[in-house]
Amino acid sequence: MAAGIIDGKLIAQQIRQELKAEVERLHREDGLQPGLGVVLVGDDPASASYVTAKEAACAEIGIYSADHRLPASTTQAELLALVQRLNEDPRIHGILVQLPLPRPLDESAVLLAIDPEKDVDGFHPVNVGRMVLGEPAFLSCTPHGVLQLLQRSGVRLAGSHVVIVGRSNIVGKPLANMLIQKGPLGNATVTVCHTRTADLAHHTRQADILVAAAGQPRMITADMVREGAVVIDVGVNRVADASRKSGFRLVGDVDFEAVSAKASLITPVPGGVGPMTITMLLHNTVASARQHHLKASR
Ligand code: GUN
């Protein structure tokens, strides 16, 4: 039987409507407008298109966004000075430095310089540590978006075996840690697979929920998926396509056509996890504005 499609665009739209209402309320009752500082260094086309989409989404729900596009020649000191200005700017409640940064910029030093209370990406070690300890923290956007997709599609996480393919700091590691927390978005049993995993298919076939986050176009084939599994494709890979004006198209880490015939539910690429990542960034920015306002009015 063909799998049901988890429509990330639709679910993201629903959450954005909820956030828009919250932004309107903050404005009406507290005279507050959430603000996001967006930093893009260099001219990587995929990063530029993500940043443009993030800024458009801010505008759509009434978040102020301050755009900072810097040349690839930007020095570490210049970038750190900008982060410091954003840390101190009262109009800014969230800071997003788009990754990856061009070489030789030091990504971890830049992430460490962001005020953890404005770290709406959830990448600062303080937020990662709080999340692992089960304390309140900004949750990083892609893994949080995956959990929201599953929950809002009625997929049971408690007691499920989730197999994650990929161990990145942005997706695999934080997602595994979120899933083992106690609580409505956790209580799962988790296996994390990576490039050194022996007999990958043996592990992926055990999954009730399979999350592909390896950055390898169509690496998850039908023989690697258990009949009836839920499949979440986090991959966004550009592959050459001469029939497109852009010269490329986006494909996920999952062989969508073949795997759809076995899975019970599956996310498409594009239109699955992607819109949720941006939506959770909006969610964190609104939450941060609320927290800053509460703190200031105490
Ligand atoms: N690059 C890829 N995904 C992300 C993300 O969620 N946030 C940032 N800042 N950079 C990214």
Side-chain angles (χ1 to χ4, degrees), residues 39 47 50-51 54 95-101 111 114 120-123 140-143 170-171 277-278 281:
V39 182
S47 290
Y50 291 141
V51 161
K54 287 172 185 180
I95 300 171
L96 171 118
V97 178
Q98 186 65 28
L99 304 180
L101 289 170
L111 296 180
I114 295 173
V120 287
D121 253 328
F123 291 162
S140 49
C141 303
T142 301
I170 290 183
V171 186
T277 296
I278 299 181
L281 176 73

mmCIF file with all atom_site columns, all heavy atoms in Angstrom, residues 39 47 50-51 54 95-101 111 114 120-123 140-143 170-171 277-278 281, ligand 1:
data_model
loop_
_atom_site.group_PDB
_atom_site.id
_atom_site.type_symbol
_atom_site.label_atom_id
_atom_site.label_alt_id
_atom_site.label_comp_id
_atom_site.label_asym_id
_atom_site.label_entity_id
_atom_site.label_seq_id
_atom_site.pdbx_PDB_ins_code
_atom_site.Cartn_x
_atom_site.Cartn_y
_atom_site.Cartn_z
_atom_site.occupancy
_atom_site.B_iso_or_equiv
_atom_site.pdbx_formal_charge
_atom_site.auth_seq_id
_atom_site.auth_comp_id
_atom_site.auth_asym_id
_atom_site.auth_atom_id
_atom_site.pdbx_PDB_model_num
ATOM   1   N N   . VAL A 1 39  ? 22.494 36.478 10.100 1.00 0.00 ? 39  VAL A N   1
ATOM   2   C CA  . VAL A 1 39  ? 23.859 36.713 9.605  1.00 0.00 ? 39  VAL A CA  1
ATOM   3   C C   . VAL A 1 39  ? 24.221 35.641 8.581  1.00 0.00 ? 39  VAL A C   1
ATOM   4   O O   . VAL A 1 39  ? 24.142 34.438 8.868  1.00 0.00 ? 39  VAL A O   1
ATOM   5   C CB  . VAL A 1 39  ? 24.878 36.675 10.776 1.00 0.00 ? 39  VAL A CB  1
ATOM   6   C CG1 . VAL A 1 39  ? 26.284 36.963 10.260 1.00 0.00 ? 39  VAL A CG1 1
ATOM   7   C CG2 . VAL A 1 39  ? 24.480 37.658 11.877 1.00 0.00 ? 39  VAL A CG2 1
ATOM   8   N N   . SER A 1 47  ? 22.842 28.347 1.125  1.00 0.00 ? 47  SER A N   1
ATOM   9   C CA  . SER A 1 47  ? 22.707 29.112 2.378  1.00 0.00 ? 47  SER A CA  1
ATOM   10  C C   . SER A 1 47  ? 21.944 30.403 2.130  1.00 0.00 ? 47  SER A C   1
ATOM   11  O O   . SER A 1 47  ? 21.089 30.800 2.931  1.00 0.00 ? 47  SER A O   1
ATOM   12  C CB  . SER A 1 47  ? 24.083 29.441 2.958  1.00 0.00 ? 47  SER A CB  1
ATOM   13  O OG  . SER A 1 47  ? 24.694 28.274 3.442  1.00 0.00 ? 47  SER A OG  1
ATOM   14  N N   . TYR A 1 50  ? 18.267 29.656 1.933  1.00 0.00 ? 50  TYR A N   1
ATOM   15  C CA  . TYR A 1 50  ? 17.681 29.379 3.264  1.00 0.00 ? 50  TYR A CA  1
ATOM   16  C C   . TYR A 1 50  ? 17.445 30.680 4.022  1.00 0.00 ? 50  TYR A C   1
ATOM   17  O O   . TYR A 1 50  ? 16.400 30.890 4.629  1.00 0.00 ? 50  TYR A O   1
ATOM   18  C CB  . TYR A 1 50  ? 18.616 28.511 4.112  1.00 0.00 ? 50  TYR A CB  1
ATOM   19  C CG  . TYR A 1 50  ? 18.768 27.083 3.640  1.00 0.00 ? 50  TYR A CG  1
ATOM   20  C CD1 . TYR A 1 50  ? 20.001 26.446 3.685  1.00 0.00 ? 50  TYR A CD1 1
ATOM   21  C CD2 . TYR A 1 50  ? 17.674 26.356 3.173  1.00 0.00 ? 50  TYR A CD2 1
ATOM   22  C CE1 . TYR A 1 50  ? 20.160 25.133 3.256  1.00 0.00 ? 50  TYR A CE1 1
ATOM   23  C CE2 . TYR A 1 50  ? 17.829 25.048 2.744  1.00 0.00 ? 50  TYR A CE2 1
ATOM   24  C CZ  . TYR A 1 50  ? 19.072 24.444 2.788  1.00 0.00 ? 50  TYR A CZ  1
ATOM   25  O OH  . TYR A 1 50  ? 19.222 23.165 2.365  1.00 0.00 ? 50  TYR A OH  1
ATOM   26  N N   . VAL A 1 51  ? 18.454 31.574 3.988  1.00 0.00 ? 51  VAL A N   1
ATOM   27  C CA  . VAL A 1 51  ? 18.365 32.824 4.742  1.00 0.00 ? 51  VAL A CA  1
ATOM   28  C C   . VAL A 1 51  ? 17.231 33.698 4.201  1.00 0.00 ? 51  VAL A C   1
ATOM   29  O O   . VAL A 1 51  ? 16.456 34.280 4.959  1.00 0.00 ? 51  VAL A O   1
ATOM   30  C CB  . VAL A 1 51  ? 19.736 33.545 4.708  1.00 0.00 ? 51  VAL A CB  1
ATOM   31  C CG1 . VAL A 1 51  ? 19.616 35.006 5.047  1.00 0.00 ? 51  VAL A CG1 1
ATOM   32  C CG2 . VAL A 1 51  ? 20.691 32.856 5.679  1.00 0.00 ? 51  VAL A CG2 1
ATOM   33  N N   . LYS A 1 54  ? 14.039 32.297 5.460  1.00 0.00 ? 54  LYS A N   1
ATOM   34  C CA  . LYS A 1 54  ? 13.850 32.574 6.893  1.00 0.00 ? 54  LYS A CA  1
ATOM   35  C C   . LYS A 1 54  ? 13.360 34.012 7.090  1.00 0.00 ? 54  LYS A C   1
ATOM   36  O O   . LYS A 1 54  ? 12.452 34.269 7.882  1.00 0.00 ? 54  LYS A O   1
ATOM   37  C CB  . LYS A 1 54  ? 15.162 32.342 7.668  1.00 0.00 ? 54  LYS A CB  1
ATOM   38  C CG  . LYS A 1 54  ? 15.500 30.850 7.803  1.00 0.00 ? 54  LYS A CG  1
ATOM   39  C CD  . LYS A 1 54  ? 16.881 30.583 8.380  1.00 0.00 ? 54  LYS A CD  1
ATOM   40  C CE  . LYS A 1 54  ? 17.180 29.084 8.360  1.00 0.00 ? 54  LYS A CE  1
ATOM   41  N NZ  . LYS A 1 54  ? 18.490 28.707 8.902  1.00 0.00 ? 54  LYS A NZ  1
ATOM   42  N N   . ILE A 1 95  ? 19.366 35.378 17.492 1.00 0.00 ? 95  ILE A N   1
ATOM   43  C CA  . ILE A 1 95  ? 20.479 35.565 16.547 1.00 0.00 ? 95  ILE A CA  1
ATOM   44  C C   . ILE A 1 95  ? 20.670 34.274 15.772 1.00 0.00 ? 95  ILE A C   1
ATOM   45  O O   . ILE A 1 95  ? 20.767 33.187 16.364 1.00 0.00 ? 95  ILE A O   1
ATOM   46  C CB  . ILE A 1 95  ? 21.781 35.925 17.295 1.00 0.00 ? 95  ILE A CB  1
ATOM   47  C CG1 . ILE A 1 95  ? 21.595 37.226 18.092 1.00 0.00 ? 95  ILE A CG1 1
ATOM   48  C CG2 . ILE A 1 95  ? 22.952 36.043 16.315 1.00 0.00 ? 95  ILE A CG2 1
ATOM   49  C CD1 . ILE A 1 95  ? 22.758 37.543 19.026 1.00 0.00 ? 95  ILE A CD1 1
ATOM   50  N N   . LEU A 1 96  ? 20.701 34.408 14.452 1.00 0.00 ? 96  LEU A N   1
ATOM   51  C CA  . LEU A 1 96  ? 20.921 33.237 13.605 1.00 0.00 ? 96  LEU A CA  1
ATOM   52  C C   . LEU A 1 96  ? 22.146 33.479 12.736 1.00 0.00 ? 96  LEU A C   1
ATOM   53  O O   . LEU A 1 96  ? 22.157 34.408 11.939 1.00 0.00 ? 96  LEU A O   1
ATOM   54  C CB  . LEU A 1 96  ? 19.693 33.033 12.712 1.00 0.00 ? 96  LEU A CB  1
ATOM   55  C CG  . LEU A 1 96  ? 19.918 31.977 11.663 1.00 0.00 ? 96  LEU A CG  1
ATOM   56  C CD1 . LEU A 1 96  ? 18.961 30.850 11.848 1.00 0.00 ? 96  LEU A CD1 1
ATOM   57  C CD2 . LEU A 1 96  ? 19.827 32.510 10.276 1.00 0.00 ? 96  LEU A CD2 1
ATOM   58  N N   . VAL A 1 97  ? 23.182 32.703 12.949 1.00 0.00 ? 97  VAL A N   1
ATOM   59  C CA  . VAL A 1 97  ? 24.355 32.762 12.069 1.00 0.00 ? 97  VAL A CA  1
ATOM   60  C C   . VAL A 1 97  ? 24.257 31.518 11.176 1.00 0.00 ? 97  VAL A C   1
ATOM   61  O O   . VAL A 1 97  ? 24.366 30.386 11.665 1.00 0.00 ? 97  VAL A O   1
ATOM   62  C CB  . VAL A 1 97  ? 25.675 32.753 12.869 1.00 0.00 ? 97  VAL A CB  1
ATOM   63  C CG1 . VAL A 1 97  ? 26.866 32.765 11.925 1.00 0.00 ? 97  VAL A CG1 1
ATOM   64  C CG2 . VAL A 1 97  ? 25.736 33.954 13.815 1.00 0.00 ? 97  VAL A CG2 1
ATOM   65  N N   . GLN A 1 98  ? 24.015 31.742 9.900  1.00 0.00 ? 98  GLN A N   1
ATOM   66  C CA  . GLN A 1 98  ? 23.802 30.598 9.000  1.00 0.00 ? 98  GLN A CA  1
ATOM   67  C C   . GLN A 1 98  ? 25.084 29.772 8.862  1.00 0.00 ? 98  GLN A C   1
ATOM   68  O O   . GLN A 1 98  ? 26.167 30.314 8.636  1.00 0.00 ? 98  GLN A O   1
ATOM   69  C CB  . GLN A 1 98  ? 23.335 31.100 7.616  1.00 0.00 ? 98  GLN A CB  1
ATOM   70  C CG  . GLN A 1 98  ? 22.944 30.002 6.643  1.00 0.00 ? 98  GLN A CG  1
ATOM   71  C CD  . GLN A 1 98  ? 21.730 29.193 7.065  1.00 0.00 ? 98  GLN A CD  1
ATOM   72  O OE1 . GLN A 1 98  ? 20.853 29.685 7.769  1.00 0.00 ? 98  GLN A OE1 1
ATOM   73  N NE2 . GLN A 1 98  ? 21.657 27.943 6.649  1.00 0.00 ? 98  GLN A NE2 1
ATOM   74  N N   . LEU A 1 99  ? 24.960 28.478 9.008  1.00 0.00 ? 99  LEU A N   1
ATOM   75  C CA  . LEU A 1 99  ? 26.088 27.550 8.874  1.00 0.00 ? 99  LEU A CA  1
ATOM   76  C C   . LEU A 1 99  ? 25.952 26.788 7.557  1.00 0.00 ? 99  LEU A C   1
ATOM   77  O O   . LEU A 1 99  ? 24.840 26.634 7.070  1.00 0.00 ? 99  LEU A O   1
ATOM   78  C CB  . LEU A 1 99  ? 26.092 26.566 10.049 1.00 0.00 ? 99  LEU A CB  1
ATOM   79  C CG  . LEU A 1 99  ? 26.115 27.195 11.450 1.00 0.00 ? 99  LEU A CG  1
ATOM   80  C CD1 . LEU A 1 99  ? 26.111 26.097 12.508 1.00 0.00 ? 99  LEU A CD1 1
ATOM   81  C CD2 . LEU A 1 99  ? 27.309 28.118 11.635 1.00 0.00 ? 99  LEU A CD2 1
ATOM   82  N N   . PRO A 1 100 ? 27.020 26.300 6.974  1.00 0.00 ? 100 PRO A N   1
ATOM   83  C CA  . PRO A 1 100 ? 28.404 26.406 7.445  1.00 0.00 ? 100 PRO A CA  1
ATOM   84  C C   . PRO A 1 100 ? 28.992 27.778 7.143  1.00 0.00 ? 100 PRO A C   1
ATOM   85  O O   . PRO A 1 100 ? 28.580 28.435 6.197  1.00 0.00 ? 100 PRO A O   1
ATOM   86  C CB  . PRO A 1 100 ? 29.120 25.316 6.638  1.00 0.00 ? 100 PRO A CB  1
ATOM   87  C CG  . PRO A 1 100 ? 28.321 25.190 5.365  1.00 0.00 ? 100 PRO A CG  1
ATOM   88  C CD  . PRO A 1 100 ? 26.900 25.494 5.748  1.00 0.00 ? 100 PRO A CD  1
ATOM   89  N N   . LEU A 1 101 ? 29.970 28.178 7.973  1.00 0.00 ? 101 LEU A N   1
ATOM   90  C CA  . LEU A 1 101 ? 30.703 29.417 7.712  1.00 0.00 ? 101 LEU A CA  1
ATOM   91  C C   . LEU A 1 101 ? 31.857 29.107 6.758  1.00 0.00 ? 101 LEU A C   1
ATOM   92  O O   . LEU A 1 101 ? 32.445 28.024 6.827  1.00 0.00 ? 101 LEU A O   1
ATOM   93  C CB  . LEU A 1 101 ? 31.260 29.972 9.022  1.00 0.00 ? 101 LEU A CB  1
ATOM   94  C CG  . LEU A 1 101 ? 30.229 30.550 9.989  1.00 0.00 ? 101 LEU A CG  1
ATOM   95  C CD1 . LEU A 1 101 ? 30.871 30.847 11.344 1.00 0.00 ? 101 LEU A CD1 1
ATOM   96  C CD2 . LEU A 1 101 ? 29.580 31.804 9.418  1.00 0.00 ? 101 LEU A CD2 1
ATOM   97  N N   . LEU A 1 111 ? 29.629 30.424 17.557 1.00 0.00 ? 111 LEU A N   1
ATOM   98  C CA  . LEU A 1 111 ? 28.425 29.955 18.273 1.00 0.00 ? 111 LEU A CA  1
ATOM   99  C C   . LEU A 1 111 ? 28.549 30.229 19.774 1.00 0.00 ? 111 LEU A C   1
ATOM   100 O O   . LEU A 1 111 ? 27.573 30.579 20.426 1.00 0.00 ? 111 LEU A O   1
ATOM   101 C CB  . LEU A 1 111 ? 28.192 28.458 18.016 1.00 0.00 ? 111 LEU A CB  1
ATOM   102 C CG  . LEU A 1 111 ? 27.885 28.087 16.564 1.00 0.00 ? 111 LEU A CG  1
ATOM   103 C CD1 . LEU A 1 111 ? 27.670 26.580 16.430 1.00 0.00 ? 111 LEU A CD1 1
ATOM   104 C CD2 . LEU A 1 111 ? 26.652 28.825 16.034 1.00 0.00 ? 111 LEU A CD2 1
ATOM   105 N N   . ILE A 1 114 ? 27.548 33.808 20.912 1.00 0.00 ? 114 ILE A N   1
ATOM   106 C CA  . ILE A 1 114 ? 26.136 34.214 20.934 1.00 0.00 ? 114 ILE A CA  1
ATOM   107 C C   . ILE A 1 114 ? 25.600 34.086 22.358 1.00 0.00 ? 114 ILE A C   1
ATOM   108 O O   . ILE A 1 114 ? 25.833 33.072 23.025 1.00 0.00 ? 114 ILE A O   1
ATOM   109 C CB  . ILE A 1 114 ? 25.308 33.322 19.954 1.00 0.00 ? 114 ILE A CB  1
ATOM   110 C CG1 . ILE A 1 114 ? 25.768 33.557 18.510 1.00 0.00 ? 114 ILE A CG1 1
ATOM   111 C CG2 . ILE A 1 114 ? 23.813 33.572 20.098 1.00 0.00 ? 114 ILE A CG2 1
ATOM   112 C CD1 . ILE A 1 114 ? 25.150 32.616 17.491 1.00 0.00 ? 114 ILE A CD1 1
ATOM   113 N N   . VAL A 1 120 ? 18.543 31.252 19.327 1.00 0.00 ? 120 VAL A N   1
ATOM   114 C CA  . VAL A 1 120 ? 17.301 30.609 18.867 1.00 0.00 ? 120 VAL A CA  1
ATOM   115 C C   . VAL A 1 120 ? 17.557 29.405 17.954 1.00 0.00 ? 120 VAL A C   1
ATOM   116 O O   . VAL A 1 120 ? 16.639 28.661 17.637 1.00 0.00 ? 120 VAL A O   1
ATOM   117 C CB  . VAL A 1 120 ? 16.375 31.634 18.169 1.00 0.00 ? 120 VAL A CB  1
ATOM   118 C CG1 . VAL A 1 120 ? 15.761 32.567 19.198 1.00 0.00 ? 120 VAL A CG1 1
ATOM   119 C CG2 . VAL A 1 120 ? 17.119 32.429 17.097 1.00 0.00 ? 120 VAL A CG2 1
ATOM   120 N N   . ASP A 1 121 ? 18.806 29.199 17.550 1.00 0.00 ? 121 ASP A N   1
ATOM   121 C CA  . ASP A 1 121 ? 19.171 27.977 16.822 1.00 0.00 ? 121 ASP A CA  1
ATOM   122 C C   . ASP A 1 121 ? 19.392 26.802 17.777 1.00 0.00 ? 121 ASP A C   1
ATOM   123 O O   . ASP A 1 121 ? 19.447 25.649 17.338 1.00 0.00 ? 121 ASP A O   1
ATOM   124 C CB  . ASP A 1 121 ? 20.481 28.211 16.055 1.00 0.00 ? 121 ASP A CB  1
ATOM   125 C CG  . ASP A 1 121 ? 20.273 28.342 14.558 1.00 0.00 ? 121 ASP A CG  1
ATOM   126 O OD1 . ASP A 1 121 ? 19.341 27.706 14.031 1.00 0.00 ? 121 ASP A OD1 1
ATOM   127 O OD2 . ASP A 1 121 ? 21.054 29.073 13.926 1.00 0.00 ? 121 ASP A OD2 1
ATOM   128 N N   . GLY A 1 122 ? 19.587 27.110 19.055 1.00 0.00 ? 122 GLY A N   1
ATOM   129 C CA  . GLY A 1 122 ? 19.853 26.044 20.032 1.00 0.00 ? 122 GLY A CA  1
ATOM   130 C C   . GLY A 1 122 ? 21.188 25.364 19.830 1.00 0.00 ? 122 GLY A C   1
ATOM   131 O O   . GLY A 1 122 ? 21.341 24.191 20.172 1.00 0.00 ? 122 GLY A O   1
ATOM   132 N N   . PHE A 1 123 ? 22.177 26.085 19.295 1.00 0.00 ? 123 PHE A N   1
ATOM   133 C CA  . PHE A 1 123 ? 23.490 25.483 19.016 1.00 0.00 ? 123 PHE A CA  1
ATOM   134 C C   . PHE A 1 123 ? 24.536 25.787 20.088 1.00 0.00 ? 123 PHE A C   1
ATOM   135 O O   . PHE A 1 123 ? 25.609 25.198 20.089 1.00 0.00 ? 123 PHE A O   1
ATOM   136 C CB  . PHE A 1 123 ? 24.042 25.985 17.668 1.00 0.00 ? 123 PHE A CB  1
ATOM   137 C CG  . PHE A 1 123 ? 23.290 25.500 16.462 1.00 0.00 ? 123 PHE A CG  1
ATOM   138 C CD1 . PHE A 1 123 ? 23.431 26.157 15.236 1.00 0.00 ? 123 PHE A CD1 1
ATOM   139 C CD2 . PHE A 1 123 ? 22.469 24.385 16.522 1.00 0.00 ? 123 PHE A CD2 1
ATOM   140 C CE1 . PHE A 1 123 ? 22.753 25.714 14.104 1.00 0.00 ? 123 PHE A CE1 1
ATOM   141 C CE2 . PHE A 1 123 ? 21.786 23.934 15.398 1.00 0.00 ? 123 PHE A CE2 1
ATOM   142 C CZ  . PHE A 1 123 ? 21.926 24.599 14.181 1.00 0.00 ? 123 PHE A CZ  1
ATOM   143 N N   . SER A 1 140 ? 17.063 22.940 19.085 1.00 0.00 ? 140 SER A N   1
ATOM   144 C CA  . SER A 1 140 ? 17.476 23.267 17.720 1.00 0.00 ? 140 SER A CA  1
ATOM   145 C C   . SER A 1 140 ? 16.385 22.880 16.736 1.00 0.00 ? 140 SER A C   1
ATOM   146 O O   . SER A 1 140 ? 15.572 21.973 16.961 1.00 0.00 ? 140 SER A O   1
ATOM   147 C CB  . SER A 1 140 ? 18.858 22.751 17.359 1.00 0.00 ? 140 SER A CB  1
ATOM   148 O OG  . SER A 1 140 ? 18.998 21.438 17.697 1.00 0.00 ? 140 SER A OG  1
ATOM   149 N N   . CYS A 1 141 ? 16.336 23.672 15.664 1.00 0.00 ? 141 CYS A N   1
ATOM   150 C CA  . CYS A 1 141 ? 15.097 23.797 14.883 1.00 0.00 ? 141 CYS A CA  1
ATOM   151 C C   . CYS A 1 141 ? 14.761 22.551 14.063 1.00 0.00 ? 141 CYS A C   1
ATOM   152 O O   . CYS A 1 141 ? 13.593 22.144 14.011 1.00 0.00 ? 141 CYS A O   1
ATOM   153 C CB  . CYS A 1 141 ? 15.201 25.025 13.986 1.00 0.00 ? 141 CYS A CB  1
ATOM   154 S SG  . CYS A 1 141 ? 15.507 26.514 14.952 1.00 0.00 ? 141 CYS A SG  1
ATOM   155 N N   . THR A 1 142 ? 15.741 21.945 13.414 1.00 0.00 ? 142 THR A N   1
ATOM   156 C CA  . THR A 1 142 ? 15.398 20.800 12.576 1.00 0.00 ? 142 THR A CA  1
ATOM   157 C C   . THR A 1 142 ? 14.924 19.606 13.413 1.00 0.00 ? 142 THR A C   1
ATOM   158 O O   . THR A 1 142 ? 13.849 19.057 13.148 1.00 0.00 ? 142 THR A O   1
ATOM   159 C CB  . THR A 1 142 ? 16.558 20.439 11.633 1.00 0.00 ? 142 THR A CB  1
ATOM   160 O OG1 . THR A 1 142 ? 16.843 21.579 10.819 1.00 0.00 ? 142 THR A OG1 1
ATOM   161 C CG2 . THR A 1 142 ? 16.196 19.267 10.742 1.00 0.00 ? 142 THR A CG2 1
ATOM   162 N N   . PRO A 1 143 ? 15.682 19.194 14.458 1.00 0.00 ? 143 PRO A N   1
ATOM   163 C CA  . PRO A 1 143 ? 15.164 18.079 15.249 1.00 0.00 ? 143 PRO A CA  1
ATOM   164 C C   . PRO A 1 143 ? 13.832 18.396 15.920 1.00 0.00 ? 143 PRO A C   1
ATOM   165 O O   . PRO A 1 143 ? 12.937 17.536 15.962 1.00 0.00 ? 143 PRO A O   1
ATOM   166 C CB  . PRO A 1 143 ? 16.260 17.811 16.286 1.00 0.00 ? 143 PRO A CB  1
ATOM   167 C CG  . PRO A 1 143 ? 17.239 18.902 16.174 1.00 0.00 ? 143 PRO A CG  1
ATOM   168 C CD  . PRO A 1 143 ? 17.051 19.580 14.860 1.00 0.00 ? 143 PRO A CD  1
ATOM   169 N N   . ILE A 1 170 ? 23.846 19.232 14.117 1.00 0.00 ? 170 ILE A N   1
ATOM   170 C CA  . ILE A 1 170 ? 22.627 19.995 13.807 1.00 0.00 ? 170 ILE A CA  1
ATOM   171 C C   . ILE A 1 170 ? 21.386 19.105 13.869 1.00 0.00 ? 170 ILE A C   1
ATOM   172 O O   . ILE A 1 170 ? 20.310 19.552 14.232 1.00 0.00 ? 170 ILE A O   1
ATOM   173 C CB  . ILE A 1 170 ? 22.771 20.665 12.419 1.00 0.00 ? 170 ILE A CB  1
ATOM   174 C CG1 . ILE A 1 170 ? 23.814 21.786 12.488 1.00 0.00 ? 170 ILE A CG1 1
ATOM   175 C CG2 . ILE A 1 170 ? 21.460 21.222 11.916 1.00 0.00 ? 170 ILE A CG2 1
ATOM   176 C CD1 . ILE A 1 170 ? 23.986 22.565 11.192 1.00 0.00 ? 170 ILE A CD1 1
ATOM   177 N N   . VAL A 1 171 ? 21.517 17.832 13.500 1.00 0.00 ? 171 VAL A N   1
ATOM   178 C CA  . VAL A 1 171 ? 20.325 16.966 13.455 1.00 0.00 ? 171 VAL A CA  1
ATOM   179 C C   . VAL A 1 171 ? 20.483 15.687 14.308 1.00 0.00 ? 171 VAL A C   1
ATOM   180 O O   . VAL A 1 171 ? 19.779 15.517 15.305 1.00 0.00 ? 171 VAL A O   1
ATOM   181 C CB  . VAL A 1 171 ? 19.944 16.564 12.005 1.00 0.00 ? 171 VAL A CB  1
ATOM   182 C CG1 . VAL A 1 171 ? 18.613 15.797 12.009 1.00 0.00 ? 171 VAL A CG1 1
ATOM   183 C CG2 . VAL A 1 171 ? 19.831 17.773 11.089 1.00 0.00 ? 171 VAL A CG2 1
ATOM   184 N N   . THR A 1 277 ? 11.696 23.412 9.845  1.00 0.00 ? 277 THR A N   1
ATOM   185 C CA  . THR A 1 277 ? 12.914 23.988 10.424 1.00 0.00 ? 277 THR A CA  1
ATOM   186 C C   . THR A 1 277 ? 12.730 25.493 10.605 1.00 0.00 ? 277 THR A C   1
ATOM   187 O O   . THR A 1 277 ? 12.989 26.054 11.668 1.00 0.00 ? 277 THR A O   1
ATOM   188 C CB  . THR A 1 277 ? 14.127 23.718 9.498  1.00 0.00 ? 277 THR A CB  1
ATOM   189 O OG1 . THR A 1 277 ? 14.337 22.317 9.445  1.00 0.00 ? 277 THR A OG1 1
ATOM   190 C CG2 . THR A 1 277 ? 15.389 24.388 10.000 1.00 0.00 ? 277 THR A CG2 1
ATOM   191 N N   . ILE A 1 278 ? 12.257 26.139 9.554  1.00 0.00 ? 278 ILE A N   1
ATOM   192 C CA  . ILE A 1 278 ? 12.071 27.590 9.611  1.00 0.00 ? 278 ILE A CA  1
ATOM   193 C C   . ILE A 1 278 ? 10.996 27.932 10.644 1.00 0.00 ? 278 ILE A C   1
ATOM   194 O O   . ILE A 1 278 ? 11.133 28.883 11.413 1.00 0.00 ? 278 ILE A O   1
ATOM   195 C CB  . ILE A 1 278 ? 11.701 28.132 8.211  1.00 0.00 ? 278 ILE A CB  1
ATOM   196 C CG1 . ILE A 1 278 ? 12.834 27.828 7.229  1.00 0.00 ? 278 ILE A CG1 1
ATOM   197 C CG2 . ILE A 1 278 ? 11.386 29.619 8.269  1.00 0.00 ? 278 ILE A CG2 1
ATOM   198 C CD1 . ILE A 1 278 ? 12.621 28.334 5.822  1.00 0.00 ? 278 ILE A CD1 1
ATOM   199 N N   . LEU A 1 281 ? 12.278 27.958 14.108 1.00 0.00 ? 281 LEU A N   1
ATOM   200 C CA  . LEU A 1 281 ? 13.090 29.161 14.343 1.00 0.00 ? 281 LEU A CA  1
ATOM   201 C C   . LEU A 1 281 ? 12.173 30.334 14.726 1.00 0.00 ? 281 LEU A C   1
ATOM   202 O O   . LEU A 1 281 ? 12.474 31.106 15.655 1.00 0.00 ? 281 LEU A O   1
ATOM   203 C CB  . LEU A 1 281 ? 13.881 29.488 13.076 1.00 0.00 ? 281 LEU A CB  1
ATOM   204 C CG  . LEU A 1 281 ? 14.703 30.760 13.133 1.00 0.00 ? 281 LEU A CG  1
ATOM   205 C CD1 . LEU A 1 281 ? 15.925 30.575 14.021 1.00 0.00 ? 281 LEU A CD1 1
ATOM   206 C CD2 . LEU A 1 281 ? 15.132 31.180 11.726 1.00 0.00 ? 281 LEU A CD2 1
HETATM 207 N N1  . GUN B 2 .   ? 22.581 25.279 8.289  1.00 0.00 ? 1   GUN B N1  1
HETATM 208 C C1  . GUN B 2 .   ? 21.818 24.196 8.068  1.00 0.00 ? 1   GUN B C1  1
HETATM 209 N N2  . GUN B 2 .   ? 20.807 24.127 8.962  1.00 0.00 ? 1   GUN B N2  1
HETATM 210 C C2  . GUN B 2 .   ? 20.934 25.198 9.765  1.00 0.00 ? 1   GUN B C2  1
HETATM 211 C C3  . GUN B 2 .   ? 20.176 25.694 10.868 1.00 0.00 ? 1   GUN B C3  1
HETATM 212 O O1  . GUN B 2 .   ? 19.182 25.112 11.322 1.00 0.00 ? 1   GUN B O1  1
HETATM 213 N N3  . GUN B 2 .   ? 20.633 26.855 11.407 1.00 0.00 ? 1   GUN B N3  1
HETATM 214 C C4  . GUN B 2 .   ? 21.743 27.500 10.954 1.00 0.00 ? 1   GUN B C4  1
HETATM 215 N N4  . GUN B 2 .   ? 22.111 28.610 11.577 1.00 0.00 ? 1   GUN B N4  1
HETATM 216 N N5  . GUN B 2 .   ? 22.465 27.063 9.942  1.00 0.00 ? 1   GUN B N5  1
HETATM 217 C C5  . GUN B 2 .   ? 22.054 25.932 9.346  1.00 0.00 ? 1   GUN B C5  1
#
